[in-house]
Amino acid sequence: MEPGVDQLAALNVHTPRRLAEVAEIAAELNNRPRKILGWDTPADRFPRLVNERRSPLCCDDR
């Protein structure tokens, strides 16, 4: 740790540089194919899941 740097400030993830790093890592993970998803990526699968949740749960239109 650099001398004179507050330890809490050094752990802050809300700086523009840290936010960019976190976004880069998230993009990498969300675009990585997963065997458990049938080799889809989480980024591919998430919109489908959201749309399924918006659909009626039952076909019965009373």
Side-chain angles (χ1 to χ4, degrees), residues 36-55:
I36 197 163
L37 298 177
W39 300 111
D40 284 346
T41 67
D44 292 333
R45 189 62 69 95
F46 183 73
R48 285 189 251 159
L49 292 173
V50 170
N51 287 332
E52 286 175 12
R53 295 287 181 197
R54 290 183 183 163
S55 300

Side-chain angles (χ1 to χ4, degrees):
M1 179 162 309
E2 298 174 28
V5 174
D6 181 13
Q7 288 182 351
L8 289 177
L11 295 175
N12 184 6
V13 296
H14 301 289
T15 63
R17 189 183 100 238
R18 293 273 175 94
L19 289 173
E21 290 173 358
V22 169
E24 185 178 328
I25 293 166
E28 182 181 329
L29 292 173
N30 286 327
N31 289 298
R32 183 179 295 171
R34 308 295 170 111
K35 183 177 180 179
I36 197 163
L37 298 177
W39 300 111
D40 284 346
T41 67
D44 292 333
R45 189 62 69 95
F46 183 73
R48 285 189 251 159
L49 292 173
V50 170
N51 287 332
E52 286 175 12
R53 295 287 181 197
R54 290 183 183 163
S55 300
L57 296 176
C58 179
C59 311
D60 190 7
D61 294 323
R62 292 182 197 190

